[in-house]
Amino acid sequence: MKTKSNKSITEIIKKEPVFFISALCAIASMFFVTPSAEYLAYIDWKVLALLFCLMAVVAGFGKCGLFDVMGQSLLTKCSGMRLLRFILVMLPFFTSMLITNDVALITFVPFAITVLCAVGRESELIWIIVLQTVAANLGSMATPVGNPQSLYLYNHYNIPTAQYFYTIAPFVIVSVLLLTAASLFKKNDRAQVSFETRSKLESPLRISVYSVLFVLCMLCVLHLLDYRIVLAALIIALLIFDRPVFKLIDYGLLLTFICFFIFSGNLGNIPAVRSLLVQLLDRSSLMTSALASQIVSNVPAAVLLAGFTDDWRGMLVGTNIGGLGTIIASLASLISFKYYMKSDNAKPIKYLAVFTVVNLIGLALLTALAIVI
């Protein structure tokens, strides 16, 4: 008979598998590098503070109904399936640039399921959700705050903002074209979307507060404001206006980052491992980071490998296009899969097959673009 502690550990593993793995990696590395105060130097506190602030702001906007209102406003104008598919796919693409890929999927995948079921298009679920997942993973690379690995690399290498956009722009443009073609190529059957209850914006005061906090976060990302000022302002604002938001923050992601900071820092102090990683990255940091993402996902790959190469362009492109491929290449992809599995008559094998084919095609095309550029 399982004890309560065994059950709780099992639940933690199921709920936060990447955190559990990252914790094991960090603990294992401690056998090779004795724990000391130097561990604190491994951790990028600015990245952690920014992630915390951005997650809080996005959670606050979500509570106020901003994303539901935006989605409903766009979809009520649809009269055909092509436009409906296009909007459902592009919503996570463009919103992920500011609210991160995982939050975009948490917001718009359930929304898509509800809409498609309402218009009797359950047969489109797999195709649309797969495209939404690809859209969120690719759209999020357009800005430094779109996903955790970009934010980390942007700060780790102190990448000039103009250079960031210049480097990533070709991949964003091609992604838009590919996703547009994929969402429009099917028949344009008639489909009128309506909602029984219209979402409304709640608490204009809170929306104003979160808007100001979001601007402060952007100023910090652009190196115009100290992250400690932003963190202090956010905590004070939440304590005054919206304390429940503290419960909506993904602390598992923050702990995962800390564990991988420790793990990668310790690996850097093991000569044999450091030598191997440097050799692989010297050959191609883009290919090494993209392939590593297929196994450990792109966020840990960025944290693990960034300390062994100065090629920020290869790392930035590699970890972002590396979010395509396997379903664990980007952890945000698991969010979509979980939501799909909750829908009626879910077909997991078919979903994984379509997901894998679409992602591998996307990965191949964007890798070819990277090689040409």
Side-chain angles (χ1 to χ4, degrees), residues 88-102:
L88 288 175
V89 171
M90 289 304 166
L91 274 172
F93 182 85
F94 287 106
T95 57
S96 66
M97 297 178 184
L98 297 177
I99 67 174
T100 74
N101 52 349
D102 53 346

Side-chain angles (χ1 to χ4, degrees), residues 115-318:
V115 169
L116 291 172
C117 290
V119 297
R121 296 288 177 172
E122 292 87 347
S123 59
E124 301 258 8
L125 278 176
I126 291 179
W127 183 246
I128 296 299
I129 294 174
V130 167
L131 289 184
Q132 283 187 314
T133 307
V134 173
N137 285 332
L138 292 178
S140 62
M141 68 180 169
T143 66
V145 299
N147 54 54
Q149 72 270 11
S150 291
L151 180 61
Y152 171 70
L153 294 172
Y154 180 79
N155 283 282
H156 176 80
Y157 290 113
N158 199 23
I159 302 172
T161 303
Q163 285 295 309
Y164 179 98
F165 289 117
Y166 178 79
T167 300
I168 217 71
F171 300 93
V172 176
I173 293 170
V174 171
S175 297
V176 170
L177 296 175
L178 292 174
L179 287 165
T180 299
S183 60
L184 296 181
F185 89 94
K186 288 189 175 183
K187 291 190 299 182
N188 189 30
D189 298 333
R190 186 168 181 77
Q192 188 67 46
V193 181
S194 60
F195 299 93
E196 293 182 6
T197 57
R198 294 300 298 263
S199 296
K200 297 180 180 179
L201 291 176
E202 299 178 6
S203 183
L205 174 60
R206 287 179 182 172
I207 290 178
S208 299
V209 170
Y210 286 119
S211 297
V212 171
L213 291 173
F214 183 74
V215 171
L216 293 180
C217 288
M218 293 301 101
L219 291 175
C220 182
V221 169
L222 295 173
H223 310 298
L224 299 175
L225 196 62
D226 190 282
Y227 76 91
R228 286 161 290 197
I229 296 175
V230 178
L231 180 61
L234 180 129
I235 291 174
I236 293 171
L238 291 186
L239 289 173
I240 295 173
F241 295 103
D242 204 356
R243 292 184 184 182
V245 165
F246 281 115
K247 297 179 181 179
L248 302 178
I249 295 170
D250 187 354
Y251 296 102
L253 178 61
L254 298 176
L255 290 172
T256 299
F257 259 82
I258 291 174
C259 289
F260 273 115
F261 281 139
I262 294 172
F263 178 58
S264 60
N266 283 339
L267 286 184
N269 286 315
I270 302 174
V273 175
R274 182 179 182 86
S275 176
L276 175 62
L277 291 175
V278 168
Q279 288 178 23
L280 291 173
L281 290 164
D282 281 345
R283 292 178 182 177
S284 175
S285 57
L286 188 149
M287 294 303 298
T288 300
S289 58
L291 290 173
S293 297
Q294 305 306 305
I295 302 170
V296 299
S297 87
N298 50 6
V299 175
V303 177
L304 174 62
L305 300 176
F308 303 98
T309 177
D310 294 326
D311 181 15
W312 65 262
R313 289 181 177 82
M315 286 294 300
L316 181 65
V317 175

Side-chain angles (χ1 to χ4, degrees), residues 49-92:
L50 268 174
L51 275 175
F52 176 87
C53 293
L54 287 167
M55 286 190 288
V57 170
V58 170
F61 278 136
K63 272 190 66 184
C64 294
L66 178 63
F67 307 127
D68 288 336
V69 170
M70 180 175 63
Q72 288 188 1
S73 298
L74 288 170
L75 290 176
T76 49
K77 300 175 183 178
C78 289
S79 58
M81 279 304 299
R82 279 182 179 166
L83 183 56
L84 177 60
R85 293 187 202 101
F86 179 75
I87 291 177
L88 288 175
V89 171
M90 289 304 166
L91 274 172

